Amino acid sequence: MADPTDPKHSFHELVIADVVQETADTRSFVFDVPPSLAGLFGYVSGQFLTFEIPWDGFRVRRCYSLSSAPGLDAKPKVTVKRIDRGRVSNWFNERLAKGDRIAVKPPEGLFVLRPGEQERPIVMFGGGSGITPILSIIKTALTKTGRKIKLVYANRDRDSIIFRDELEAWRVRYPDRLEIAHHLDAERGFMHAANAKDHFAGLEHADFYICGPGPFMDIVESALEERQVGRGHIFIERFVSPTDPDRAQEAAPAAPAASATSSAPSTFVCTLEGERHEVPVKPGETLLAAARRAGLEPSFSCEEGYCGCCMAQLKTGKVQMRTHDALTAKDLTNHWVLACQSRLEGDEPVEIDFDATY
Ligand SMILES: Cc1cc2nc3c(=O)[nH]c(=O)nc-3n(C[C@H](O)[C@H](O)[C@H](O)COP(=O)(O)OP(=O)(O)OC[C@H]3O[C@@H](n4cnc5c(N)ncnc54)[C@H](O)[C@@H]3O)c2cc1C
């Protein structure tokens, strides 16, 4: 059984050191990390923190990306934009104040600056609050590499541009390496694939980082696909909420027919924290859900296939993944799977390793 007190996968209380009003509907929250937790809360630009708050008798979790950059900003900071009728984003913006304590899981996530050739430019598409991990990556890329960066940043209007002044200050500091193109819906309507293509014309050989609302990401992705940009050079972070306990019933997806053939095995083996476990699986159940039902505690967060927290390496057998946006083409070749999206497929026994080194 996994050690539920493993500090990497546990929640720790951090104190809010500061709250910054960024725009009318967005605030940043800066944290004090005590020396005893400094190692655990070390992070890479682009990673996120997972928060847990009490909600009507149960607990809800949400991820927020770090907008700070290690080595450049003294303390970690997340930036939260209110969502209409959203539970936690409004709670953060209305209720959380300097000096408050909040339960936080150490940084995780794969939407980070991938090592690339120095001459390969970086193109970043950010929409609204999607700028958060992108700003962090820009700061690190500018100061730690010599790569050129183009940021395409879409917002409703000028007043809703988060980090407008900070981005401009970075552009002024690195005029030959950072180009910023703002797209304001109020002036030009929503971004279309044609606009997106214009923005990266001549830069098809770049590494692309995309983060923002679903429809914006779909448009940018389809534009990249049309221009035949390789999947191995596209990195995506989707901002979604996990299903809250009270919403689980209505959100439960029907089991996909292909995953539950009559001959499909009804157990799989997983290695977690050095121990092998045989885990029973219900038809259509994901490997993560089955492992958790069996009392195991692998790391997980968004449960939507976007954050990469529940990655494991497939040792034998086959699984079917509904989505695997968090994984690169190379990850797939190296047999990485997302347990929250994986269902058993075929007759061969399936074994996955949560402990495998990435
Ligand atoms: C890796 C990662 C990083 C992220 N980083 C950031 C960040 O840096 N900044 C940021 O602002 N956000 C970020 N997010 C998004 C964030 O985690 C939340 O998804 C977001 O704040 C909305 O949460 P909420 O609780 O306010 O809204 P929710 O309560 O989750 O609701 C969202 C919307 O869906 C509707 N809804 C949800 N469930 C139902 C239902 N059952 N029936 C009807 N309507 C429903 C709500 O009414 C609302 O309009 C990130 C997400 C991920 C996965």
Side-chain angles (χ1 to χ4, degrees):
M1 172 82 66
D3 175 5
T5 59
D6 178 351
K8 285 199 301 291
H9 302 137
S10 309
F11 284 86
H12 305 267
E13 282 214 331
L14 294 185
V15 174
I16 309 283
D18 202 5
V19 177
V20 184
Q21 189 79 43
E22 303 284 2
T23 64
D25 60 3
T26 303
R27 286 183 176 183
S28 288
F29 302 86
V30 183
F31 300 95
D32 270 329
V33 178
S36 58
L37 293 178
L40 272 180
F41 278 84
Y43 66 99
V44 178
S45 278
Q47 289 193 308
F48 61 86
L49 300 174
T50 304
F51 297 84
E52 194 173 67
I53 63 166
W55 192 274
D56 268 354
F58 49 91
R59 300 183 75 77
V60 295
R61 288 181 179 191
R62 294 292 184 272
C63 308
Y64 290 105
S65 303
L66 288 141
S67 50
S68 51
L72 296 171
D73 296 292
K75 296 180 179 184
K77 177 172 80 172
V78 298
T79 303
V80 182
K81 179 172 172 145
R82 283 175 187 266
I83 299 286
D84 185 29
R85 297 186 305 279
R87 288 175 166 173
V88 178
S89 59
N90 287 296
W91 184 89
F92 261 71
N93 274 275
E94 282 160 21
R95 304 269 296 275
L96 214 48
K98 185 174 171 174
D100 285 351
R101 294 174 169 275
I102 185 160
V104 193
K105 198 147 67 99
E108 292 171 288
L110 300 173
F111 185 71
V112 297
L113 186 62
R114 308 279 173 139
E117 307 95 88
Q118 283 297 311
E119 63 278 10
R120 190 185 285 279
I122 299 171
V123 177
M124 316 195 97
F125 278 90
S129 59
I131 193 64
T132 303
I134 285 181
L135 171 65
S136 180
I137 294 173
I138 287 177
K139 292 191 270 194
T140 294
L142 286 175
T143 53
K144 302 277 187 323
T145 77
R147 298 171 72 180
K148 288 197 169 185
I149 304 171
K150 175 160 185 183
L151 166 67
V152 183
Y153 187 12
N155 279 288
R156 208 171 40 233
D157 52 32
R158 198 177 142 76
D159 289 342
S160 56
I161 303 176
I162 311 169
F163 304 128
R164 191 175 60 198
D165 295 345
E166 186 173 353
L167 282 165
E168 182 55 16
W170 282 103
R171 197 194 60 76
V172 168
R173 201 167 142 194
Y174 290 91
D176 302 330
R177 288 187 44 216
L178 177 62
E179 181 188 348
I180 303 177
H182 286 285
H183 176 105
L184 300 181
D185 301 341
E187 290 173 5
R188 306 183 57 194
F190 289 134
M191 187 179 285
H192 295 297
N195 309 130
K197 279 187 248 174
D198 287 347
H199 281 301
F200 65 80
L203 292 169
E204 288 81 358
H205 60 299
D207 280 339
F208 289 84
Y209 291 78
I210 318 169
C211 185
F216 168 82
M217 315 254 303
D218 294 343
I219 281 162
V220 177
E221 261 190 284
S222 71
L224 293 174
E225 213 165 90
E226 278 175 44
R227 286 281 182 266
Q228 287 163 4
V229 173
R231 289 301 306 184
H233 293 288
I234 304 175
F235 309 109
I236 292 172
E237 185 86 292
R238 284 182 197 272
F239 279 6
V240 291
S241 299
T243 307
D244 293 341
D246 61 326
R247 291 168 170 171
Q249 204 65 33
E250 55 192 283
S259 68
T261 58
S262 55
S263 56
S266 55
T267 62
F268 72 100
V269 171
C270 76
T271 304
L272 182 64
E273 312 268 323
E275 283 184 34
R276 288 177 88 237
H277 308 266
E278 182 159 357
V279 180
V281 197
K282 291 182 183 170
E285 195 175 30
T286 66
L287 303 194
L288 176 69
R292 294 184 64 210
R293 197 168 46 76
L296 304 177
E297 300 203 349
S299 180
F300 73 97
S301 206
C302 77
E303 293 181 86
E304 300 276 352
Y306 303 133
C307 73
C309 291
C310 62
M311 267 171 80
Q313 205 167 27
L314 186 66
K315 297 294 179 190
T316 60
K318 278 192 186 159
V319 298
Q320 184 191 65
M321 279 190 276
R322 194 170 58 87
T323 179
H324 46 66
D325 278 350
L327 302 177
T328 63
K330 195 167 156 214
D331 295 334
L332 294 170
T333 310
N334 291 334
H335 308 292
W336 288 100
V337 297
L338 301 170
C340 73
Q341 298 300 303
S342 298
R343 293 180 169 87
L344 299 178
E345 189 177 52
D347 307 336
E348 240 188 292
V350 167
E351 178 164 354
I352 61 168
D353 184 359
F354 282 110
D355 296 345
T357 311
Y358 181 65

